[in-house]
């Protein structure tokens, strides 16, 4: 009991109500699922939510969340916002639960299976839980204890799905604030290829905590194009973890575009386990007001002859804060590896700020690695030049901002998604 009193208020709340909550969560009749939940809660209680004394979290303060946001589930009473992206295959989750009415899954080709985590756990499928005994990430452990639903995607070997799959996570206002602990499990078989688009959306004025965890496994020669648009409520907290394992010749392309949430963190850990594999992590964050956006990446090259690339760009206005932490690790004997990383931020206000921590941990000799980071204001000379050519100041500013983002958006290999992200950023810039 003394240990419990030391927990932050929100952590204490989770620990206190776990025994009642687990009986309402999917898979509650399975001893294996119950055991996994109990072990997750024990790990979470041992660590609590990370404070700023934890090195990986020293730039992101969770106190606004941990001091006591309500987490009682509430029924949806608001309308579901329309999807931002058009796709033939759509899977929708509303307030943490799969909504068949708002989904369209009847046209998936043979070899592509898309189900909900809740259905899999209720059916006794415990193989997708994995092993987390050595995982010290508190928010992942909390997700394991309270996971309620999510995407389970399996693509058979050799399957190519040309049209994107859209996954929507929508939070609408109910009778109170709530929390969603979504667990997504994705497995692509040998030489399979899939494009996946995530939308995380919420209604402004609705405070909630989104804690999604995604586990991705790409077999030999598989390719996953994974795109995410985080547009949570301006009062929401979004802490996301994505773990990816790449086998020989696999390619993982990830692009995360963030414009929402009061506080957000997008953490990606990539383990490159095969030669010829390629990890491509890119993204852009556009923040204003007092928003805080943290991007943290850890790329582990665990075998020789593979590649990783990262480009992240941020635009920060008013008193917004950005964080980029990127670590590339190359273990002994992982020779002939290439790892590149770049972070740039554009500050539109002298009250905006960004913290950057690039890191290379190299234990091999025959490698090619680089990292770079910069932040600054709009180029006044370029702005003056455009104005001298008769371009109004606001238009000139937008042109320079658009040019700043252009090259990172070009990293999106899917034409439709690139156009979608370009439209989102243009809409955000209309308010600059």
């Amino acid at each position: 009991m003394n240990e419990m009193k030391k927990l932050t208020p929100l952590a204490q709340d989770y620990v206190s109500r776990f025994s009642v909550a687990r009986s309402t969560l999917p898979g509650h009749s399975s001893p294996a699922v119950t055991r996994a939940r109990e072990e997750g809660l024990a790990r979470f209680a041992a660590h609590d939510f990370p404070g700023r004394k934890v090195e990986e979290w020293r730039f992101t303060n969770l106190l606004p969340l941990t001091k006591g946001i309500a987490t009682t589930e509430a029924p949806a009473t608001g309308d579901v916002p329309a999807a931002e992206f058009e796709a033939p295959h759509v899977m929708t989750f509303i307030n943490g639960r799969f909504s068949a009415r708002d989904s369209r899954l009847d046209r998936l080709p043979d070899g592509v299976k898309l189900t909900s985590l809740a259905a899999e756990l209720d059916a006794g499928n415990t193989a997708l839980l994995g092993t987390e005994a050595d995982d010290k990430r508190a928010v992942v452990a909390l997700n394991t204890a309270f996971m309620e639903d999510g995407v389970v995607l399996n693509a058979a070997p050799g399957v190519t799905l040309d049209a994107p799959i859209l996954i929507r996570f929508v939070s609408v206002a109910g009778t109170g604030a709530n929390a969603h602990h979504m667990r997504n499990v994705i497995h692509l078989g040998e030489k399979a290829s899939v494009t996946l688009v995530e939308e995380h959306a919420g209604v402004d004025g609705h405070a909630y905590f989104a804690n999604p965890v995604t586990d991705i496994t790409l077999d030999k020669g598989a390719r996953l194009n994974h795109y995410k648009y985080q547009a949570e409520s301006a009062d929401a907290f979004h802490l996301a973890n994505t773990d990816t394992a790449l086998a020989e010749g696999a390619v993982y392309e990830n692009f995360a575009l963030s414009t929402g949430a009061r506080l957000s963190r997008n953490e990606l850990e990539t383990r490159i386990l095969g030669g010829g594999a390629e990890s491509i992590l890119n993204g852009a964050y556009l923040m204003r007001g007092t928003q805080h956006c943290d991007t943290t990446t850890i790329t582990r090259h665990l075998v020789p002859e593979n590649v990783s690339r990262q480009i992240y760009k941020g635009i920060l206005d008013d008193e917004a804060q950005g964080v980029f932490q990127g670590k590339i690790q190359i273990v002994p004997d992982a020779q002939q590896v290439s790892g590149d990383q770049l972070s740039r931020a554009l500050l539109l206000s002298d009250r905006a700020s960004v913290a950057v921590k690039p890191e290379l941990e190299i234990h091999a000799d025959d490698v090619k690695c680089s990292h770079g980071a910069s932040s600054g204001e709009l180029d006044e000379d370029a702005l003056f030049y455009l104005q001298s050519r008769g371009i109004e100041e606001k238009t000139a500013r937008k042109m320079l901002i658009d040019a700043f983002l252009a090259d990172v958006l070009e990293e999106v290999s899917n034409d439709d998604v690139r156009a979608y992200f370009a439209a989102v950023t243009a809409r955000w810039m209309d308010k600059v």
Side-chain angles (χ1 to χ4, degrees):
M1 187 64 70
N2 290 334
E3 285 296 317
M4 292 177 64
K5 290 181 180 179
K6 296 179 182 178
L7 296 174
T8 57
L10 182 57
Q12 177 70 66
D13 177 67
Y14 274 116
V15 172
S16 299
R17 65 189 181 88
F18 174 73
S19 60
V20 174
R22 66 181 174 185
S23 63
T24 66
L25 293 168
H28 61 266
S29 61
S30 166
V33 174
T34 298
R35 185 166 55 252
R37 291 190 186 279
E38 291 173 343
E39 292 172 352
L41 185 75
R43 290 194 303 275
F44 171 68
H47 295 288
D48 201 336
F49 286 97
R52 299 182 77 171
K53 291 183 180 180
V54 178
E55 178 62 25
E56 295 84 357
W57 288 83
R58 67 189 179 102
F59 299 119
T60 296
N61 184 6
L62 291 183
L63 184 60
L65 169 67
T66 60
K67 67 182 181 182
I69 183 173
T71 57
T72 303
E73 294 300 327
T77 59
D79 294 330
V80 178
E84 290 269 0
F85 181 74
E86 291 293 327
H89 317 295
V90 181
M91 190 173 194
T92 303
F93 297 84
I94 300 175
N95 282 8
R97 297 290 181 174
F98 171 61
S99 174
R101 183 189 66 180
D102 298 287
S103 300
R104 189 168 57 248
L105 302 174
D106 57 339
R107 288 184 281 177
L108 288 168
D110 292 340
V112 177
K113 182 181 179 182
L114 193 61
T115 56
S116 79
L117 180 92
E120 294 289 339
L121 293 181
D122 283 337
N125 182 4
T126 59
L128 49 78
L129 294 179
T131 302
E132 302 174 4
D134 297 327
D135 196 330
K136 293 181 173 57
R137 292 172 297 177
V139 290
V140 174
L142 178 63
N143 179 283
T144 300
F146 285 88
M147 56 185 172
E148 54 199 295
D149 214 339
V151 177
V152 180
L153 170 62
N154 283 281
V159 169
T160 296
L161 184 58
D162 294 325
I165 297 173
L166 173 63
I167 309 295
R168 304 190 67 213
F169 300 98
V170 184
S171 295
V172 297
T175 58
N178 52 21
H180 313 308
H181 305 278
M182 310 301 288
R183 175 64 65 98
N184 308 310
V185 182
I186 300 169
H187 179 205
L188 270 56
E190 184 174 341
K191 295 184 179 179
S193 179
V194 172
T195 296
L196 186 68
V197 180
E198 290 182 36
E199 282 185 1
H200 297 258
V203 178
D204 283 345
H206 176 35
Y208 55 92
F209 171 31
N211 177 26
V213 172
T214 303
D215 294 317
I216 300 171
T217 303
L218 303 183
D219 289 349
K220 182 178 180 181
R223 178 174 184 123
L224 176 63
N225 295 332
H226 185 194
Y227 306 115
K228 173 183 176 181
Y229 175 34
Q230 187 275 103
E232 304 278 21
S233 157
D235 299 287
F237 298 86
H238 179 95
L239 306 180
N241 282 269
T242 301
D243 293 351
T244 305
L246 282 71
E248 179 184 348
V251 178
Y252 179 58
E253 178 187 332
N254 178 288
F255 193 104
L257 174 62
S258 298
T259 63
R262 173 181 175 181
L263 182 151
S264 63
R265 178 176 167 111
N266 194 44
E267 181 171 338
L268 302 101
E269 179 166 345
T270 307
R271 293 179 297 124
I272 304 180
L273 305 172
E278 186 172 2
S279 169
I280 308 165
L281 309 179
N282 299 306
Y285 53 94
L286 290 71
M287 300 283 120
R288 57 168 49 100
T290 58
Q291 288 180 290
H292 179 101
C293 183
D294 179 332
T295 299
T296 295
T297 69
I298 305 171
T299 302
R300 305 189 190 279
H301 294 264
L302 302 175
V303 296
E305 300 180 359
N306 45 66
V307 174
S308 69
R309 294 186 285 116
Q310 301 178 49
I311 301 176
Y312 287 91
K313 289 194 173 185
I315 299 177
L316 301 162
D317 203 356
D318 304 319
E319 299 177 37
Q321 297 176 329
V323 177
F324 176 78
Q325 301 180 105
K327 179 177 181 178
I328 297 175
Q329 179 191 56
I330 302 176
V331 303
D333 300 324
Q335 307 293 352
Q336 297 184 337
V337 158
S338 175
D340 296 305
Q341 179 187 101
L342 176 65
S343 169
R344 295 184 63 198
L346 182 61
L347 307 180
L348 302 182
S349 162
D350 58 8
R351 295 167 294 158
S353 62
V354 63
V356 180
K357 183 188 174 188
E359 186 177 356
L360 300 178
E361 182 183 319
I362 302 173
H363 300 281
D365 299 324
D366 186 11
V367 300
K368 180 182 178 182
C369 292
S370 68
H371 67 71
S374 65
S375 63
E377 302 174 349
L378 282 174
D379 188 329
E380 291 295 332
D381 290 339
L383 186 62
F384 175 79
Y385 175 82
L386 291 174
Q387 290 181 269
S388 70
R389 294 301 184 269
I391 299 173
E392 191 266 333
E393 181 182 0
K394 186 175 182 179
T395 301
R397 284 169 59 85
K398 287 183 179 179
M399 290 174 63
L400 293 177
I401 296 170
D402 183 65
F404 175 79
L405 283 177
D407 59 343
V408 71
L409 289 175
E410 284 299 318
E411 296 293 325
V412 177
S413 64
N414 183 284
D415 293 341
D416 292 336
V417 177
R418 191 187 318 115
Y420 160 50
F421 283 169
V424 168
T425 58
R427 187 169 66 235
W428 188 89
M429 286 188 288
D430 282 341
K431 299 179 182 180
V432 171

